[in-house]
Amino acid sequence: MASTTLSVPEIHCGHCKSAIEGAVGPIDGVRTVEVDVDTRSVRVEHDDAMTVHALVDVIEDQGYDVPDQEALAG
């Protein structure tokens, strides 16, 4: 299991949180997704096979730019 944290500067409200969590949560391989409105970040626990690129694509498909795709993985 891996953890990825992405900075998403356009997050600013509960709707943003719901949209992103609702899109990322159902993806195969995602265990948990947590959007923090205050820090404007998305933390995802996922299978090792999941790529950062795949997560970024889903978030950007919701209309949010992920400008720095260099994630902090831990």
Side-chain angles (χ1 to χ4, degrees):
M1 192 63 60
S3 178
T4 299
T5 301
L6 297 166
S7 175
V8 185
E10 295 174 341
I11 294 173
H12 64 275
C13 66
H15 178 278
C16 300
K17 176 180 171 72
S18 296
I20 293 171
E21 288 179 348
V24 175
I27 298 171
D28 285 341
V30 170
R31 183 173 181 182
T32 63
V33 57
E34 191 174 317
V35 174
D36 187 323
V37 176
D38 293 333
T39 62
R40 297 180 180 191
S41 64
V42 179
R43 183 174 180 275
V44 184
E45 288 188 16
H46 54 84
D47 293 344
D48 292 332
M50 168 93 30
T51 66
V52 171
H53 182 72
L55 294 172
V56 169
D57 283 349
V58 172
I59 294 169
E60 289 187 338
D61 284 348
Q62 293 300 306
Y64 300 94
D65 188 34
V66 185
D68 184 4
Q69 294 187 24
E70 293 300 318
L72 303 173

